[in-house]
Amino acid sequence: MNRLTKKAWKELIIALAGGIWAALMISIIAYSNMQGLGWILLCVLIGAPVFAAVAIMESRKLKILDEREKELTRKSEAISFNCLAGYLVAFSILSLFVVGGRNTIPVVVLPMMVLVGLVLEQCVRATFVLLQCEKDDDE
């Protein structure tokens, strides 16, 4: 297993763990009926561990990638960002058709949309890197 494959597995595990952590925090705050302070607490509880993990991982990894790995990373970022944009457009249009033009969307839906989109983007990025590394190993 090369460095890029290890990096992709770590990113996939962190993204899934972050998604589970975010879902847990959202459900705790939603069921406890906290108002504005709860959302600030939610952002801190979700953002701090995820930001710290990502910052530490990225600072270490950028120094040791070779040209092939950088190209795979660039391709995976392009595909994952396109997937994120498609998800956000699809979610917005779907919510318009489900809720309708005159009704309102609950406030909790919008942060959940963004968090799910970010987890989806990271999972797509890591999965694409793993698939490309397997493809290169088979050839």
Side-chain angles (χ1 to χ4, degrees):
M1 189 180 318
N2 62 17
R3 292 177 300 195
L4 194 59
T5 306
K6 289 178 186 177
K7 175 183 178 255
W9 275 113
K10 286 178 188 176
E11 287 177 354
L12 188 60
I13 290 168
I14 288 174
L16 292 174
I20 292 169
W21 178 257
L24 179 65
M25 292 297 114
I26 287 173
S27 63
I28 288 171
I29 289 177
Y31 286 118
S32 65
N33 285 331
M34 295 176 111
Q35 297 301 319
L37 181 62
W39 290 109
I40 294 172
L41 179 65
L42 173 72
C43 291
V44 170
L45 288 176
I46 291 173
V50 172
F51 180 75
V54 169
I56 291 170
M57 285 175 42
E58 289 301 318
S59 66
R60 291 180 189 167
K61 292 176 198 158
L62 291 177
K63 299 175 186 174
I64 57 173
L65 295 179
D66 62 4
E67 190 61 36
R68 183 188 70 85
E69 292 170 339
K70 287 180 183 177
E71 184 63 30
L72 285 177
T73 304
R74 232 177 276 127
K75 285 180 185 178
S76 67
E77 286 174 354
I79 288 174
S80 66
F81 287 140
N82 288 335
C83 181
L84 176 64
Y87 163 77
L88 292 175
V89 167
F91 190 93
S92 300
I93 291 173
L94 183 65
S95 64
L96 175 69
F97 287 125
V98 169
V99 174
R102 296 186 184 173
N103 294 333
T104 58
I105 297 174
V107 176
V108 73
V109 172
L110 299 176
M112 287 173 39
M113 174 185 74
V114 172
L115 289 174
V116 169
L118 292 175
V119 170
L120 174 71
E121 185 269 333
Q122 189 63 42
C123 289
V124 167
R125 180 186 302 185
T127 303
F128 183 76
V129 168
L130 290 172
L131 291 174
Q132 284 298 110
C133 287
E134 282 297 319
K135 180 181 173 187
D136 288 348
D137 290 343
D138 288 342
E139 293 175 356

